Amino acid sequence: DTEVTQTPKHLVMGMTNKKSLKCEQHMGHRAMYWYKQKAKKPPELMFVYSYEKLSINESVPSRFSPECPNSSLLNLHLHALQPEDSALYLCASSKVAGGSYVSSYNEQFFGPGTRLTVL
Amino acid sequence: AQSVSQHNHHVILSEAASLELGCNYSYGGTVNLFWYVQYPGQHLQLLLKYFSGDPLVKGIKGFEAEFIKSKFSLNLRKPSVQWSDTAEYFCAVNAPGNNDMRFGAGTRLTVKP
């Protein structure tokens, strides 16, 4: 199974709402990622989890709160978002670079994304 | 930190034309290089990757690339494009031992039937 799944596919929320995005993989990968992608732009790295611990936070505002409850799941909790946060949110997973499963090229597998609209 | 640039923002070709998309990276050490494709409304898919060894890399869907170390480049090629190749193409780089992957700005390819 080389699939990364994400739910929901689409999400519309108000600025006062609290919602969560979910990501799941069963490839045994111990690195998981959140990216934000605006229209016609490349994915921008937000967070990296390695062995269920946050290893990279690209100065993301605190209204985005990641969580990695186990090695297969990655959540992104959303609260008090702004309209400019509307984007496609992508999850990815890979083997851990330099970890127990050393991978020369830690190819990332991407999910289909959640299309988020903040009203 | 590593970075990558793609100079072609939008390329328009007719079917059966040959394709070459440029990708240059900036990093002082060994890098892993990737080309991803994003078809309209679909998720990112890996076309090919380069780590070391043979500088000519074969990917899926008839794509290939050549790594030129002296030019810090991994250019994507396809001898004959099809309408179905219309998509956004992203070059990406990370350093071995580093989970931090950086994407280029992307090149939008439009293939006219």
Side-chain angles (χ1 to χ4, degrees):
Chain A
D1 181 5
T2 59
E3 192 178 1
V4 176
T5 58
Q6 291 187 243
T7 55
K9 289 186 178 179
H10 300 275
L11 178 62
V12 179
M13 59 187 291
M15 289 190 284
T16 58
N17 292 157
K18 285 186 181 180
K19 297 286 184 184
S20 297
L21 309 184
K22 296 185 184 302
C23 173
E24 189 168 5
Q25 56 87 17
H26 296 286
M27 292 178 276
H29 291 162
R30 302 299 295 276
M32 296 187 77
Y33 310 76
W34 280 115
Y35 288 86
K36 175 182 177 180
Q37 187 179 24
K38 300 283 262 185
K40 302 188 188 304
K41 296 292 185 183
E44 295 175 20
L45 185 66
M46 299 174 72
F47 302 105
V48 180
Y49 272 83
S50 180
Y51 297 112
E52 296 84 67
K53 286 185 170 45
L54 185 64
S55 59
I56 296 177
N57 177 342
E58 288 290 320
S59 303
V60 179
S62 59
R63 57 185 183 269
F64 295 91
S65 176
E67 178 196 20
C68 190
N70 60 55
S71 60
S72 300
L73 294 174
L74 185 67
N75 299 322
L76 186 63
H77 303 297
L78 314 173
H79 174 55
L81 294 194
Q82 304 296 311
E84 59 264 29
D85 295 322
S86 298
L88 181 68
Y89 287 84
L90 297 168
C91 175
S93 72
S94 75
K95 295 178 181 179
V96 175
S100 299
Y101 297 97
V102 174
S103 174
S104 299
Y105 43 87
N106 42 321
E107 167 192 346
Q108 294 183 18
F109 293 80
F110 284 83
T114 293
R115 177 76 59 191
L116 174 66
T117 302
V118 182
L119 301 176
Chain B
Q2 65 273 18
S3 65
V4 62
S5 60
Q6 295 178 245
H7 305 296
N8 313 105
H9 297 295
H10 189 192
V11 173
I12 302 173
L13 296 172
S14 298
E15 274 194 317
S18 64
L19 169 72
E20 181 159 358
L21 301 181
C23 172
N24 290 92
Y25 68 91
S26 173
Y27 186 67
T30 307
V31 292
N32 300 323
L33 292 160
F34 307 85
W35 274 100
Y36 283 88
V37 62
Q38 191 171 32
Y39 297 102
Q42 295 191 27
H43 62 278
L44 283 159
Q45 299 175 43
L46 183 70
L47 279 178
L48 53 83
K49 57 199 174 198
Y50 176 80
F51 168 62
S52 65
D54 189 341
L56 288 176
V57 184
K58 298 285 188 188
I60 62 171
K61 301 179 188 285
F63 286 90
E64 59 186 31
E66 182 179 11
F67 175 66
I68 303 179
K69 188 174 182 179
S70 60
K71 295 186 178 180
F72 300 91
S73 69
L74 182 74
N75 291 351
L76 182 70
R77 300 198 292 237
K78 187 170 185 179
S80 176
V81 294
Q82 301 171 310
W83 176 79
S84 57
D85 292 323
T86 294
E88 191 84 21
Y89 291 80
F90 294 100
C91 184
V93 61
N94 66 12
N98 188 328
N99 287 323
D100 185 0
M101 181 177 284
R102 300 292 163 168
F103 285 82
T107 296
R108 183 154 57 102
L109 173 64
T110 302
V111 180
K112 297 185 292 185

